[in-house]
Amino acid sequence: MSNQPSNQQVLQVRYDDLKASYANHVLVSVGAEEVYLDFTSGIVADRPGVSLLPIHTRVAMTPSGVVRLAQLLAQTCQNFQVVNVAPPPQEPPTQVAQPPIEAPKDEKKGK
């Protein structure tokens, strides 16, 4: 055994008062020293001709935190990707023959 102290720490994650909210949209705003992520579930009709985008959660992060979040999200998206299968070969469109145009019956009688 080594006499050197371990640099490892135990990290426990606690979910106290956790409230999950579905977000279908996120608005990103940039302040002087922070980036704000405003989450919403989508547009709702308020009254005729007026729609609202109710924000239910705002998260403020440092720019470096946003960069780490973007990297984590990119990595997570790669994990969800399925193996790309080559699409079926595209055949050029074929021209459809137009049926002959017949003269109206009234015009046929006159000829």
Side-chain angles (χ1 to χ4, degrees), residues 15-100:
Y15 293 100
D16 292 339
D17 300 325
L18 177 67
K19 177 185 160 201
S21 298
Y22 178 80
N24 198 30
H25 302 281
V26 62
L27 302 174
V28 179
S29 305
V30 180
E33 296 181 13
E34 294 174 322
V35 177
Y36 300 98
L37 305 174
D38 294 327
F39 295 91
T40 178
S41 58
I43 299 171
V44 295
D46 184 40
R47 55 187 182 273
V50 179
S51 297
L52 293 174
L53 191 63
I55 304 299
H56 59 69
T57 305
R58 172 174 269 191
V59 176
M61 299 180 73
T62 62
S64 61
V66 172
V67 170
R68 289 191 306 272
L69 175 63
Q71 291 170 344
L72 178 62
L73 291 173
Q75 183 180 12
T76 302
C77 288
Q78 285 179 348
N79 293 341
F80 277 108
Q81 290 178 353
V82 294
V83 176
N84 289 333
V85 178
Q90 294 283 335
E91 296 179 15
T94 56
Q95 188 172 6
V96 177
Q98 190 173 15

